[in-house]
Amino acid sequence: MRQLDNEKEIIAHCQNGETAFFGALYDRYVRTIYSFIYYKTFHKETAEDLTSETFFKALNHIKAVDPNRSFQSWLYKIAQNCVIDHFRRERKTENVDDVWDIADNTNLEIDANVSLQISALRKELGQLSHLQRDIIIMRVWQELSYREIAEIVGKSEASCKMNYSRAVKHLKKVVPITIGITD
Amino acid sequence: MNSIEEILAELYAIDSSFKRHEVDLRLLIKRLRLTKPDFSIDDAFVRRLRSDILHGGKPKPIGFLVRSYFIQTGKNLFRSSAFGTAVALVLLVPLAYAAQIYHKNQSGSYQVDNAFVSLGQQQEISYKPQNAFGPVALTTVSATTAATNTPPLPSSSIFATIASSSASTTEMASVTATGTPPAYIFTGIAPSLQTTTANVIETDTSSDARSELLDNIQNLGFELTNITSIANANNSVGGIEVQESQPFGYIVSMNLNKMSIAISKNSAVWPDETYLPLSSDTSATDTITVALNFLRSHNIDTSNYGPATLLSENSASSTATVLLPLIIHKQNVYNPDGSLYGMLVSVDQKLEKVTGVTGISLQKYTASPYPVENNFTNILNELNATSTLATSTATDTPQLETPLAGLIRYTTNNYEFFVPGLIFPVASSTNSITISLLKDSAGK
């Protein structure tokens, strides 16, 4: 199969039933989507399951993709919905959209090595709105551009920047700064 | 990787006032980056998934994963012909009877926490003596309160009367927790706790209650029959999961050990809204109406719940949660974090459909009396010694306002308790802190 770089062209092939071309889209996004899901679940097996679910859904609904809109943002939206559905299935208790919504004393299945790492941040990031939290994760941890973030969350770049700055202001108030951390 | 300088520069471009806090911001960003969780994606997984996708494999049935104490022993055991609705029924039996374990989680627990089904029309509390202290008759004491800004207490309270007067206010308002420095400053009106025992309430898990739960499940509107005979045919059945297979169908998960039910959308048969023409977001009133209509159409009784309110909205996912606060014996029920506990109805505002219901109570309880702490200073001291709020929030010492009385809901893997307690709002914060009034367990 010939290699294609143009995403629109790849999607067009997929939409015509040549699903072998989907491999190129998979290769391009699997790590980004996995990391996004991992930062919302902190559990390797769950992240793998939901990544799998995301790409199967994407392939099954590839004909619904608008070629004039970002494929990446569409994929993120599917991943986000998979995560939300996962927590609703698992917790069945609260309005839980990702791991940050869950109190750190809750019996939660997350990777042991990450548990200590994020325990200090759980409470603080948990106080942010879902949108602010996603923007912080995508900007600081995933290093996506504002343009990409805006497409994914369905807001303008200006709105994303505003939410980002509000989130930072809030975190500046509530995150205890440890003396001794230097550049 | 973006350098800290780059991140700072973009923050300054958004809001130049950030420049005045450069040192703090630098430390904050440093901390955020340091706590970025390390993970590595398994290359074997990436290759395997790629192969599965491109060669027509299927994803793992995540919705069927049953963790820990339960296993999946069969499915498609039941199909209803009514209205052409296909329903898959999954029986879950305890691990002891298991032949095959699908997935066991790290913590070894299976939680279907608050989904207490609900079908009871009347609230029932049966009282059983607590051996250590002997039988204590239920005492209902009218609550009176004169505190201005204090939400009204239930008309009766089984454990305490909160009374305030100018004298007690003057005397007690100056009470602060002991310790240096104090974890809290109490600025409210101190309650006068006039009882020495109170009832701890548990969900009734007796065989009678189980039978009643099974009988009532027929009323849920999911075209089910013979649930009772299926469950009774094998006493080891610990749970039943029903999956509707028509578009916009639901999964109903019944845990017969914990007397609980949860309803959630069956994602496998719900179109992803990404692919649907959507209406604009609905208003709060419309959202509540969608929730109440769903409960009504599924015969879920709401008579033992308070008025529905919109609890939260998530603009990113266009979902909202409607809360109907649970009322047990005329008392509100609170989570340990001080938020009201009750039935939660999740609504997709764009689809205008309910996506899940949890916290539905069967309303059958047992109650046992226990001694309670009625010295308010002791309660404050206990709070000061045990609660962690002060160390986890801002620099100012939290100010506790006049407490509310209520039941605090605690859960373990297998049990649910409603314990008499106090809920202290925290000034200038959405947080509250709670404390159990049980002696020897306050603050734990």
Side-chain angles (χ1 to χ4, degrees), chain A residues 26 92-93 97 139 169 175, chain B residues 10 15 31 46 114 314:
Chain A
Y26 174 84
K92 298 180 177 175
T93 57
D97 281 1
R139 184 73 193 114
K169 274 182 187 167
V175 173
Chain B
E10 72 184 22
D15 183 349
R31 185 161 184 262
V46 173
N114 64 348
N314 181 350

Side-chain angles (χ1 to χ4, degrees), chain A residues 30-131:
Chain A
V30 64
R31 284 172 170 77
T32 314
I33 291 297
Y34 179 90
S35 67
F36 176 70
I37 292 173
Y38 189 81
Y39 292 144
K40 287 173 159 291
T41 59
F42 294 133
H43 187 250
K44 181 174 179 287
E45 289 175 6
T46 303
E48 289 181 355
D49 287 349
L50 297 179
T51 301
S52 165
E53 189 180 346
T54 298
F55 279 98
F56 272 103
K57 276 190 174 180
L59 178 59
N60 291 337
H61 294 89
I62 193 74
K63 289 188 177 175
V65 173
D66 180 348
N68 296 314
R69 300 181 67 176
S70 161
F71 178 76
Q72 180 181 239
S73 65
W74 183 75
L75 208 52
Y76 263 83
K77 182 77 176 170
I78 296 173
Q80 170 119 324
N81 287 341
C82 288
V83 172
I84 290 171
D85 286 349
H86 162 74
F87 277 103
R88 288 185 183 154
R89 279 193 302 261
E90 289 292 297
R91 306 302 302 174
K92 298 180 177 175
T93 57
E94 302 160 55
N95 186 28
V96 173
D97 281 1
D98 61 30
V99 75
W100 301 98
D101 285 329
I102 299 171
D104 57 6
N105 59 355
T106 306
N107 188 11
L108 179 66
E109 187 180 8
I110 65 176
D111 290 341
N113 61 320
V114 175
S115 180
L116 277 177
Q117 213 171 344
I118 63 159
S119 62
L121 266 186
R122 285 278 288 280
K123 204 159 258 178
E124 288 84 5
L125 282 188
Q127 292 176 25
L128 299 178
S129 70
H130 295 100
L131 177 63

Side-chain angles (χ1 to χ4, degrees), chain A residues 156-182:
Chain A
S156 67
E157 279 190 48
S159 170
C160 288
K161 288 179 179 177
M162 186 56 64
N163 273 286
Y164 179 57
S165 78
R166 284 181 185 150
V168 169
K169 274 182 187 167
H170 181 80
L171 289 174
K172 192 172 75 61
K173 283 183 190 168
V174 300
V175 173
I177 303 299
T178 305
I179 295 172
I181 294 180
T182 63

Side-chain angles (χ1 to χ4, degrees), chain A residues 19-24 26-27 30-31 34-36 38-39 42-53 55-59 61 64 74 77-78 80-81 84-86 88-95 97 100 106-114 117-118 120-121 123-125 127 130-131 134 136 139-144 146 153 155 161-162 164-169 171-183, chain B residues 1-2 4-7 10-11 14-15 17-18 21 23-43 45-50 52-54 56-60 62-65 67 103-107 109-115 241 251 253 262 264-265 267 270-275 311-321 344 346 355 357-359 388 392-395 413 431:
Chain A
T19 51
F21 283 89
F22 191 78
Y26 174 84
D27 294 340
V30 64
R31 284 172 170 77
Y34 179 90
S35 67
F36 176 70
Y38 189 81
Y39 292 144
F42 294 133
H43 187 250
K44 181 174 179 287
E45 289 175 6
T46 303
E48 289 181 355
D49 287 349
L50 297 179
T51 301
S52 165
E53 189 180 346
F55 279 98
F56 272 103
K57 276 190 174 180
L59 178 59
H61 294 89
W74 183 75
K77 182 77 176 170
I78 296 173
Q80 170 119 324
N81 287 341
I84 290 171
D85 286 349
H86 162 74
R88 288 185 183 154
R89 279 193 302 261
E90 289 292 297
R91 306 302 302 174
K92 298 180 177 175
T93 57
E94 302 160 55
N95 186 28
D97 281 1
W100 301 98
T106 306
N107 188 11
L108 179 66
E109 187 180 8
I110 65 176
D111 290 341
N113 61 320
V114 175
Q117 213 171 344
I118 63 159
L121 266 186
K123 204 159 258 178
E124 288 84 5
L125 282 188
Q127 292 176 25
H130 295 100
L131 177 63
D134 280 351
I136 288 281
R139 184 73 193 114
V140 179
W141 285 356
Q142 291 200 286
E143 300 183 8
L144 299 182
Y146 283 115
V153 302
K155 306 277 184 190
K161 288 179 179 177
M162 186 56 64
Y164 179 57
S165 78
R166 284 181 185 150
V168 169
K169 274 182 187 167
L171 289 174
K172 192 172 75 61
K173 283 183 190 168
V174 300
V175 173
I177 303 299
T178 305
I179 295 172
I181 294 180
T182 63
D183 292 345
Chain B
M1 175 182 253
N2 292 320
I4 289 182
E5 302 306 327
E6 285 173 322
I7 294 176
E10 72 184 22
L11 281 170
I14 296 168
D15 183 349
S17 70
F18 276 126
H21 308 284
V23 174
D24 285 352
L25 282 177
R26 197 175 281 278
L27 289 169
L28 172 64
I29 293 164
K30 180 84 176 171
R31 185 161 184 262
L32 283 173
R33 287 159 54 112
L34 281 173
T35 49
K36 175 183 174 179
D38 294 327
F39 71 88
S40 57
I41 187 167
D42 183 345
D43 286 335
F45 158 74
V46 173
R47 284 193 301 273
R48 190 173 61 249
L49 177 57
R50 191 182 200 282
D52 285 349
I53 289 173
L54 297 182
K58 289 183 178 177
K60 289 167 68 179
I62 293 167
F64 281 90
L65 284 184
R67 308 203 176 229
H103 187 100
K104 183 172 183 176
N105 67 15
Q106 290 175 331
S107 58
S109 65
Y110 173 77
Q111 290 198 327
V112 190
D113 239 343
N114 64 348
E241 188 169 274
I251 296 174
S253 307
S264 59
K265 74 175 187 182
S267 297
W270 274 52
D272 192 313
E273 68 178 43
T274 310
Y275 322 114
L311 184 66
S312 63
E313 289 184 280
N314 181 350
S315 58
S317 58
S318 300
T319 57
T321 303
L344 294 174
S346 300
T355 56
V357 186
T358 62
T388 57
S392 64
T393 55
T395 52
N413 283 340
N431 292 326

